[in-house]
Every structure is written in C-alpha cells, then in structure tokens.
Amino acid sequence: MIGLQQQIKLVKRPVGTPVKEDFEFVQAPIGEPAEGEVLIRTIYISVDPYLRGRMNDVKSYIPPFELDSVITSGVIGQVVKSKSAKFAEKDVVTGSLGWQEYSVAKDSSIRKIDTNLAPASAYLSVLGMTGLTAYFGLLDIGQPKEGETVVVSGAAGAVGSVVGQIAKIKGARVVGIAGSDEKIKYLKNELGLDATVNYKTDDVKTALAEKCPDGIDVYYENVGGEIGDAVLPLLNKFARIPVCGAISAYNNEEADIGLRVQSYLIKTSSVMKGFTVGDYASRFKEGSQALAKWLQEGKLQYEETITDGFDQTIDAFLDLFKGANLGKAIVKVSELE
Ligand code: NDP
C-alpha cells in the first residue's frame, strides 16, 4: 500500500505535566509487510497513565520511549494486507503498536480478538490490560473475602471500575474514591458500590473513616498521594494493599513524600505489595477467561470514554491527568469494516 500516514512522536521529555509541545505529528510512508508480517489499519488506540513514566529517561520496568520515535501502546487494528499464514485481510487484532494510522507488525507480536464476544474496544478495557490489572492485583494480592471492606481509589477509571465490581462479586463491601459528582453517581447507581468518597469535595480522612466503620481490609491503590495516606490509619489487622499505581505523583518533579508506612503495617501485620500486570503474563489466559465469563453473565459492566480522531490522541492522553475519563480512555482512529 503506497501512501502517507500520520504518526505521533515524543520530541521532548516532559517536565512536570506533559504539554502538547512535547509531541509532534509527522507524516511518514505507510509500510509494506515482508514475509511473516501484516499491515494493520489502526482502529483504536489506548491512552494510559503509565505511558507518562515511559516519557522520562529513567530505568523502570519497561524502557523509556526514545526521543523522536513513535509512541507505542495497546492498539486494536484491522489487517489490510497479510504476508502471514496466521492472519487474513479484515482480521481484527491487538498488540502493542505505534501511535500511527497504519502499522506493519510481525505475526508473532499480535493476536486475533473475538468481536462476537465483545466489541473490539473492550479488548483495550475490561478484557484488555486494565481488566487484567484489576483482576490479578485484587485477587492475587488483595484477596478480598466476603464481608470485608475493600477501598479502591481511581474507582471510576479503567482499572478501578473493574476492581470495585470484582470485589463486589467476591462479596466484599466496597468503598470507591473518585474525583467528580458524575463519577460518584456512576459508582453508586451503575456499579452498585456500597459507599463513595469524592476526594475533591469531601475531607478524605473524615469521609473515609465514616464510610469504613469496620476499618479497611483491602486498599487497592491507584493514585498514591494524600488519598493513600488517609487509608493507613484505618487498616484492620492483616490488611492487604495492592499498589497498582500512583497517578497523583507521575507529574511530580520532586519526590512524593507522605506518611511513613512502617508503623501502620507493623501494628496491623498488613502487607503492601507493588506489582505490574506483566508479572502475571503466564496467567493472562485465566484472567481473560474469568473476565469474559463475568461479562457474559452480566456481572461485569464497563464504561469507555472514546475520543474521536487520531488528531485528538494527545489531548485524550493529557485528559487522564485531569480526570476527564469515565472508565477506559480510548481514541478511535478509524472504523471497523
Ligand atoms: P484511569 O482510567 O483511572 O484514568 C486516570 C484517572 O486517575 C483519572 O480519570 C482521574 O480520576 C485519576 N487522577 C488523575 N490525577 C489524579 C490525582 N492527582 N489524584 C487522584 N486521582 C487522579 O487510568 P487506569 O485505570 O488506566 O490506571 C489507574 C492507575 O493504575 C494508574 O495509576 C496507572 O498508572 C495504574 N496502572 C498500573 C498497572 C500495573 O501494571 N501496575 C497497569 C495499568 C494501570 P478522578 O476524576 O477520580 O481524579
């Protein structure tokens, strides 16, 4: 396929909160697949908070993005040309691909998705990386039991909304923390959480103590900062804290300093454990099957904030830090055929 396409490159390392000038739209030729490769038209791009970390030139669990290179994240696409026996034209696939309108990918780096089970975008949300993050972090580290109190921050986001629902499935009492009235309504009315805290309008310490009269058994940490600090004094004996994310600190230039955790953990014999979803790669099949089953049984709902247009990708990414998304933030680049 001969022609030109748009790509998005990281051209500056953001200082603090990223700005549009850190990125650049460039034109580039659409690639040609070689033997064992396919050409994919981008349908959906996943924008995720963790990408902010990859924009810094620091060692982490995944290497940083290189300057002047195309940003990559989870993508859903449709095969337009195949030089692989494993894929045919029109197959709908997912993989870690570039922020560009077309990608050439090795057949071993992508997989087909079943759009009869759920719409394609769900493979970036409830059935994708964020759903799996919720599943493994909560069940493997949090281990919620019937009647226990589970608190989740970032509760109306991609990971948090799935965490809250799985905790309910397991019979826990769930308290969700989020940053707008619309999100609070969603948590109560749509997800059926037992209690909520709006961290922007409530006094978090007081509100959380009120909403957790029996203390906290599991705190699923998505945001870090002062919200996490408000949880520690309320921990019950043998509490579990899966540390999934700390979005409130991702744009900080200074170290993120809060309560020292040791005495709280000692007093309550609690466990605080960081993880990345990649730790569970060998169990992704189990997680995907469980999430798909709950989805089919109507036990799991999901919300997506889909922004239309490749030219809106950077705005959709920056909006994550403003809390503009309900559920998973996704950019729609083109239509499925
Ligand atoms: P979300 O869909 O939750 O989007 C981000 C949300 O974070 C916003 O909507 C906003 O909601 C909230 N937020 C933004 N800034 C702040 C702030 N300063 N303080 C508190 N809340 C804030 O994103 P994801 O579900 O994709 O990710 C949630 C967390 O999980 C992130 O920290 C992410 O890095 C982490 N993560 C970790 C993974 C792992 O493997 N460990 C994998 C995937 C995600 P609100 O309106 O409520 O403020």
Side-chain angles (χ1 to χ4, degrees), residues 291-304:
L291 291 163
K293 184 166 177 283
W294 285 327
L295 197 62
Q296 278 176 318
E297 291 170 350
K299 291 182 180 163
L300 209 51
Q301 301 180 39
Y302 65 102
E303 196 63 49
E304 294 167 342

Side-chain angles (χ1 to χ4, degrees), residues 35-72:
E35 226 26 70
E37 292 183 336
V38 293
L39 176 66
I40 297 162
R41 180 167 48 81
T42 304
I43 310 287
Y44 293 112
I45 291 176
S46 176
V47 285
D48 298 273
Y50 81 88
L51 298 169
R52 174 65 185 88
R54 293 196 69 190
M55 292 169 189
N56 294 337
D57 190 15
V58 293
K59 193 168 172 265
S60 184
Y61 59 96
I62 13 175
F65 290 123
E66 279 175 30
L67 282 184
D68 297 317
S69 66
V70 176
I71 293 173
T72 56

Side-chain angles (χ1 to χ4, degrees), residues 49 133 157-159 179 183 199 222 244-246 248 250 275-277 320 323 325:
T133 303
V159 174
K183 292 182 182 186
Y199 75 92
N222 275 321
C244 173
S248 73
Y250 292 173
F275 73 99
T276 70
V277 66
L320 288 167
N325 60 303

Side-chain angles (χ1 to χ4, degrees), residues 47-51 61 129-130 133-134 153-161 177-180 183 199-200 220-224 227 243-251 274-279 319-329:
V47 285
D48 298 273
Y50 81 88
L51 298 169
Y61 59 96
M129 185 273 285
T130 51
T133 303
S153 53
V159 174
S161 58
I177 307 175
S180 75
K183 292 182 182 186
Y199 75 92
K200 288 193 180 153
Y220 192 104
E221 172 70 284
N222 275 321
V223 305
I227 295 177
V243 183
C244 173
I247 189 169
S248 73
Y250 292 173
N251 293 322
F275 73 99
T276 70
V277 66
D279 300 344
D319 275 352
L320 288 167
F321 300 96
K322 300 176 195 150
N325 60 303
L326 181 65
K328 181 75 187 89

Side-chain angles (χ1 to χ4, degrees), residues 3-239:
L4 291 174
Q5 62 161 332
Q6 292 282 317
Q7 300 178 321
I8 300 173
K9 291 187 171 178
L10 181 72
V11 291
K12 283 188 209 146
R13 303 241 173 249
V15 178
T17 304
V19 291
K20 285 191 184 176
E21 292 68 35
D22 298 328
F23 308 90
E24 208 168 273
F25 282 87
V26 295
Q27 272 203 335
I30 297 171
E32 263 298 315
E35 226 26 70
E37 292 183 336
V38 293
L39 176 66
I40 297 162
R41 180 167 48 81
T42 304
I43 310 287
Y44 293 112
I45 291 176
S46 176
V47 285
D48 298 273
Y50 81 88
L51 298 169
R52 174 65 185 88
R54 293 196 69 190
M55 292 169 189
N56 294 337
D57 190 15
V58 293
K59 193 168 172 265
S60 184
Y61 59 96
I62 13 175
F65 290 123
E66 279 175 30
L67 282 184
D68 297 317
S69 66
V70 176
I71 293 173
T72 56
S73 69
V75 162
I76 303 286
Q78 198 160 21
V79 174
V80 289
K81 191 169 182 180
S82 178
K83 291 238 176 121
S84 160
K86 293 185 193 158
F87 295 95
E89 248 179 61
K90 300 230 165 139
D91 278 352
V92 186
V93 297
T94 186
S96 177
L97 300 172
W99 286 12
Q100 52 197 4
E101 291 170 294
Y102 290 86
S103 291
V104 171
K106 283 205 172 77
D107 59 8
S108 55
S109 69
I110 52 168
R111 66 182 172 87
K112 273 187 229 181
I113 58 171
D114 177 5
T115 50
N116 294 318
L117 176 62
S121 58
Y123 289 86
L124 294 180
S125 60
V126 64
L127 298 179
M129 185 273 285
T130 51
L132 290 168
T133 303
Y135 178 89
F136 288 112
L138 181 67
L139 296 183
D140 197 61
I141 303 170
Q143 301 181 11
K145 313 218 174 20
E146 199 160 344
E148 285 191 334
T149 299
V150 172
V151 173
V152 54
S153 53
V159 174
S161 58
V162 179
V163 168
Q165 294 181 82
I166 299 178
K168 288 294 294 175
I169 291 171
K170 296 291 170 187
R173 184 174 172 277
V174 183
V175 181
I177 307 175
S180 75
D181 289 343
E182 183 207 359
K183 292 182 182 186
I184 294 294
K185 259 191 215 145
Y186 169 71
L187 296 177
K188 281 188 189 155
N189 302 342
E190 305 297 324
L191 302 190
L193 299 198
D194 299 281
T196 52
V197 173
N198 181 336
Y199 75 92
K200 288 193 180 153
T201 55
D202 295 335
D203 176 79
V204 180
K205 270 191 188 158
T206 315
L208 204 57
E210 264 171 36
K211 304 287 166 80
C212 302
D214 300 323
I216 297 173
D217 301 292
V218 178
Y219 173 53
Y220 192 104
E221 172 70 284
N222 275 321
V223 305
E226 288 172 11
I227 295 177
D229 289 355
V231 168
L232 292 168
L234 300 173
L235 291 180
N236 286 335
K237 193 90 181 156
F238 304 119

